[in-house]
Amino acid sequence: MIVYGIPNCNTVKKARTWLEENGFNPEFHDFKKKGITAEKLNAWCDAFGWEAVLNKKGTTWKKLSSDVQQMVTDQKTAIEVLLQNNSAIKRPVVEVDGKPILISFNEDQYKAVFK
């Protein structure tokens, strides 16, 4: 299991805490330090939809120029922006055996998937 995110994000902290308290010991991938690939973003977009992977409620998205925001109209353009602004990725993303299974943190979803 790999949890992708950034360490100071409260949602990532909640997810990691929940996983650890429920007996999981996930690897953590800090995509601010280790980066993220277009292939990985495509896999996440295929699993969740690009609209779910792109966090339009976050500060990073809101700080982008309206021109950049308006150019994001599909998965390809979303990934281009996310590669340049990886803090705009909805987080965390949880993968098991290389497959993305959860995005963000919702305790009921985590219970349904892991119990």
Side-chain angles (χ1 to χ4, degrees):
M1 178 186 303
I2 302 175
V3 175
Y4 292 83
I6 55 178
N8 61 342
C9 171
N10 287 332
T11 308
V12 171
K13 288 177 186 176
K14 288 177 193 173
R16 292 176 73 188
T17 298
W18 188 92
L19 289 166
E20 289 166 9
E21 287 175 351
N22 285 275
F24 299 95
N25 186 24
E27 177 184 336
F28 181 66
H29 179 102
D30 179 350
F31 53 67
K32 288 301 275 181
K33 289 184 180 174
K34 296 180 182 176
I36 203 73
T37 65
E39 292 78 19
K40 188 63 71 181
L41 290 170
N42 269 302
W44 296 349
C45 289
D46 291 346
F48 307 117
W50 68 267
E51 297 93 340
V53 176
L54 177 64
N55 182 9
K56 290 187 175 182
K57 293 180 181 174
T59 306
T60 300
W61 174 259
K62 292 176 182 175
K63 286 183 179 177
L64 294 175
S65 72
S66 60
D67 288 345
V68 171
Q69 290 178 357
Q70 290 173 9
M71 75 167 244
V72 177
T73 57
D74 57 17
Q75 183 167 318
K76 182 178 184 292
T77 54
I79 288 171
E80 289 172 10
V81 169
L82 291 172
L83 286 170
Q84 298 297 316
N85 303 277
N86 61 17
S87 292
I89 299 169
K90 186 78 160 173
R91 52 193 183 264
V93 174
V94 179
E95 288 185 348
V96 174
D97 297 326
K99 294 183 178 132
I101 58 167
L102 291 164
I103 190 166
S104 191
F105 178 71
N106 174 296
E107 187 171 357
D108 291 336
Q109 284 182 318
Y110 277 56
K111 284 179 183 177
V113 168
F114 292 118
K115 296 274 177 164

